[in-house]
Amino acid sequence: MQSEIVWMIIGMGVATYIPRMLPFVLFRGKELPEFLQGVLKNVPYATLGALIFPGILFIHEDIWYGILGAAVAIFISFIGANVIVVVLGSIAVLSLYSFFI
């Protein structure tokens, strides 16, 4: 039983290492086209949005709970606040919303 867990951990490590290592090996010393570089620069933002957006809509029975929290977070971050301030501001507004609704 214990050796199966160790082999599983080793296998997961190899499975996550290979996709990270392959681009460095395959593209060493090569310049990617400008268009492809532009597309790849947007991948983290698109992935983050794809992970967060469903959570906004399905976080609570009341859909406005998620929408209000996201709107407050977007507004506070848009005015240039620190990430901690954004999180605490959203928590505060949603706490007030939960208290009064």
Side-chain angles (χ1 to χ4, degrees), residues 72-73 75-77 79-93:
V72 169
F75 175 74
I76 295 173
S77 63
I79 61 174
N82 188 329
V83 174
I84 301 289
V85 175
V86 173
V87 171
L88 292 177
S90 293
I91 290 171
V93 169

Side-chain angles (χ1 to χ4, degrees), residues 43-63:
V43 168
Y45 305 112
T47 305
L48 188 61
L51 292 172
I52 291 175
F53 190 72
I56 290 171
L57 298 178
F58 301 117
I59 193 166
H60 200 265
E61 289 91 22
D62 183 10
I63 192 169

Side-chain angles (χ1 to χ4, degrees), residues 3 5 7 13-14 24-25 28 35 38 40 47 61 64 70-71 80-81:
S3 67
I5 294 173
W7 282 111
V14 169
F24 290 114
V25 172
R28 184 185 316 240
F35 175 75
L40 292 175
T47 305
E61 289 91 22
W64 290 107

